């Protein structure tokens, strides 16, 4: 079994300015490939200490993955130091040089001399394109060690790993590892775990809960010498999980609640508009983060004040005065009216109290009403969320999307 | 200066199930105490590999802080392994033993033999009470090294560190460390560094660039034997940085672009509405993420379709047909109209092409127009952003907020 070690370079880690989520991500992926990670080390932007780490790592690991320190500044010294340790020269990659030049030309920004550093790599490296930034990564082999160098920012590292490093590492092992993530919404994490406690003990395939962002995920991982066999093992587990969780499973793998809802709307040829109060645009932001959203999403109203609810969205002032802006009645009108003025098939609304202030005994922080209008149908769901302002807002947006998913797939909306 | 090293023990870290937020927290606290952290290492629940880490750490550090592996199970072996490495016996702490027994009595749970493990400590240890769990921590000194052992769960580790470890470490150092973060928008990271390259070499105070999310940050850190002296050192550097970057500095420490803009609006007693196309609600979501936003933010329109721009926001159909939805003219009308229909002082608009599709040679992906309307004034800024959909959207929202910040503070809007 291959042994891998992760070295993350960056003084910001040692100063405690950020937690190392890169090492977490890479370790999770390596585990799914059947590669053992025995050590993760964080070291500063310091040549001698990085050399020390490389010496230790090359004595005990087959694969060394380094993250961070690929930027254009003086502090960024990962490639130089790794090249020195392995006795390799740094050479210019012409393609990268041209790309960096055109990047600066396009954004009409001045290019400084230190930007050229990003086009230098240890000789013999395979270059890993950076589709989300200027610093490419690289892979080389020397003295029987495989060395992978990746940029630090997660928005650059994650796609680079998925597109270029994962296939490379996968090719090193005879074991076929297949995994699938099942995403569940509407049941709490500890309840999910209790419901599948026997499965969590299984050795192959394994079933493991992951920390999700607003929902619960279970990762199924199967190991075999044959892809089809591994897939079959996973399919069988998925069938069992679907028997247990049924309609609470909203997607698998890269699915997000918003991508699922958008695809359902596209399939049905239906259009959507939204009216938000306490979420302040989070719902529409999630929906429009999916490429191609404009096919189905037409309009969103952030009616943050009572006046805008009344004057722009046409919510009855009488209703707001009698029931309050945070009420079933207001949520109902918001959903119906936004649907009507934007001439869409669906209207989805959220009104609530995100906190930290604004709560009362009758209407506490976390109280949210979600409205869904479709033709003459209208549904309102009352929600009480725990947690801070961010959590209340996220939970509200997720529940609104789930309500729409349920309507689009003919499921019961209230549960 | 004292050198410290953090070793976190737990296979869950190596499997990528969690990120190591303990190391982040401890490092941040140590930095504030003027103690250098040169290495953070994560290792599994494995005796021989932990011994290896202890050997490396004791050769290069004065203080070793270990986290995790204090539980009652077979896997938990931190105290045993550390005691073995330093040649110390494990001895029972009677107080801890009594506490554990009464804990189980109180919660009416059965106490198993392995729970007694939690009352064993390396001889000569000072016990650190655990006010939020059953596993206490400890501190001992041996061979000139100070060793601190803490439980892994952050809810137990953080209060234990603050109450017992922080005072202990503070007593080791006479130095006072003060730091301040300066936030810059509108100049690229590498250019910022070129502009302060001499300051980056300074030893005390130090100036270091940090990774920002859509902006650039510089952290100034001063060390002294007196708080006032340290603050004065920082003030002097801030004055120099303000001379260099002037209006590009939008905030310090915990300020965000949105909190700064909201406070400026509050101070002026002005109100705001927004009209977004490609950002799909990201701008309003950022603004409303600040508690108390409702005082100044009244309404946001996400006019994602041409029809909604025309019918709801009242943008002239003639303008959209002649100049396109992504144009200076449309941005202008969106800003002016949203201000007028919501009766706010300011109207802020964004229209552009976030990609990945929808770009042409004349109007490429990344092209964005931002409009700002105030009374009869109207400003439009043209922007070309690099990167993927998320980056284009984030950069657009940040530029829109910065444009408003500049107007509110009487600065030039176009730069």
């Amino acid at each position: 079994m291959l042994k891998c070690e992760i070295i993350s370079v960056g003084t910001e880690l040692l100063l405690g300015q950020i937690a190392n989520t890169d090492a977490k991500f890479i370790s999770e992926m390596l585990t799914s490939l059947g590669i053992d990670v025995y050590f993760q080390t964080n070291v500063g932007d310091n040549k001698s200490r990085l050399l020390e780490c490389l010496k230790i790592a090359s004595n005990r690991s087959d694969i060394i993955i380094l993250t961070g320190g690929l930027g254009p500044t003086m502090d960024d010294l990962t490639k130089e130091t790794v090249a020195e340790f392995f006795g390799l020269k740094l050479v210019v990659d012409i393609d990268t040089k041209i790309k960096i030049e055109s990047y600066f030309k396009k954004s009409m920004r001045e290019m400084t001399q230190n930007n050229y550093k990003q086009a230098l790599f240890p000789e013999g490296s395979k270059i890993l394109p950076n589709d989300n930034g200027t610093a490419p990564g690289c892979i080389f082999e020397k003295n029987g060690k495989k060395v992978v160098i990746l940029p630090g920012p997660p928005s650059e590292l994650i796609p680079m790993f998925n597109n270029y490093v994962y296939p490379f590492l996968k090719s090193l092992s005879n074991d076929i590892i297949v995994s699938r993530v099942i995403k569940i919404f509407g049941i709490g994490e500890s309840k999910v775990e209790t419901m599948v406690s026997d499965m969590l003990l299984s050795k192959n395939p394994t079933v493991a809960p992951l920390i999700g962002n607003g929902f619960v995920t279970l990762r199924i991982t199967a190991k075999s010498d044959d892809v089809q066999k591994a897939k079959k093992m996973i399919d069988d587990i998925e069938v069992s999980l679907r028997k247990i969780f049924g309609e609470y499973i909203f997607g698998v793998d890269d699915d997000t609640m918003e991508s699922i809802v958008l695809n359902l709307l596209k399939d049905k040829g239906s259009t959507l508009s939204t009216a938000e109060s306490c979420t302040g645009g989070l719902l529409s932001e999630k929906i429009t983060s999916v490429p191609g959203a404009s096919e189905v999403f037409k309009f969103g109203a952030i009616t943050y004040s009572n006046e805008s609810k009344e004057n722009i969205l046409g919510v009855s002032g009488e209703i707001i005065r009698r029931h309050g802006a945070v009420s079933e009645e207001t949520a109902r009108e918001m959903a119906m009216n936004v649907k009507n003025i934007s001439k869409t098939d669906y209207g989805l609304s959220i009104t609530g109290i995100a906190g930290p202030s604004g709560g009362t005994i009758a209407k506490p922080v976390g109280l949210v009403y979600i409205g869904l209008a479709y033709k003459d149908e209208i549904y309102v769901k009352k929600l009480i969320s725990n947690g801070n302002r961010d959590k209340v807002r996220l939970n509200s947006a997720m529940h609104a999307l789930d309500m729409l998913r349920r309507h689009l797939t003919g499921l019961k909306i209230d549960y």
Side-chain angles (χ1 to χ4, degrees), chain A residues 8 25 60 73 134 145-146 176 207 227 288 293 314 352 393 401:
Chain A
S8 299
F25 167 77
R60 63 189 183 188
T73 77
T134 53
K145 305 294 171 188
K146 289 164 181 49
I176 304 275
V207 177
V227 179
T288 59
R393 284 159 52 108
L401 289 167

Side-chain angles (χ1 to χ4, degrees), chain A residues 150-193:
Chain A
L150 300 171
S155 62
E156 303 177 19
L157 178 139
I158 293 172
M160 190 183 290
F161 190 95
N162 288 335
N163 294 334
Y164 309 109
V165 183
Y166 187 91
F168 166 75
L169 295 173
K170 203 166 160 51
S171 71
L172 302 178
S173 165
N174 288 324
D175 273 342
I176 304 275
I177 308 274
V178 181
S179 71
R180 189 175 302 159
V181 168
I182 305 290
K183 300 187 174 177
I184 298 166
F185 184 78
I187 310 178
E189 189 180 345
S190 53
K191 189 162 177 203
V192 165
E193 289 191 31

Side-chain angles (χ1 to χ4, degrees), chain A residues 57 104 122 140 219 259 269 342 407:
Chain A
F104 277 87
F140 67 86
R219 177 188 290 263
S259 71
S342 60
H407 189 274

Side-chain angles (χ1 to χ4, degrees), chain A residues 383-400:
Chain A
L383 199 69
I384 296 179
S385 301
N386 284 309
N388 62 14
R389 186 175 176 92
D390 289 346
K391 281 204 177 164
V392 170
R393 284 159 52 108
L394 176 62
N395 197 36
S396 305
M398 288 295 291
H399 267 281

Side-chain angles (χ1 to χ4, degrees), chain A residues 42 49 115 120 189 217 322 372 376 379 402:
Chain A
N42 300 343
R49 288 192 283 274
N115 287 110
L120 294 172
E189 189 180 345
T217 55
R322 189 180 300 171
L372 174 65
D376 295 334
Y379 308 88
D402 192 51

Side-chain angles (χ1 to χ4, degrees), chain A residues 19-30 65-68 70 128-133 135-137 148-167 169 219 254:
Chain A
N20 192 349
T21 55
D22 286 345
K24 178 202 176 297
F25 167 77
I26 295 171
S27 298
E28 197 179 345
M29 299 305 288
L30 291 173
I65 299 182
L66 295 110
T67 72
L70 303 193
L128 311 175
N130 187 335
D131 303 325
N132 303 286
V148 181
I149 303 181
L150 300 171
S155 62
E156 303 177 19
L157 178 139
I158 293 172
M160 190 183 290
F161 190 95
N162 288 335
N163 294 334
Y164 309 109
V165 183
Y166 187 91
L169 295 173
R219 177 188 290 263
D254 292 335

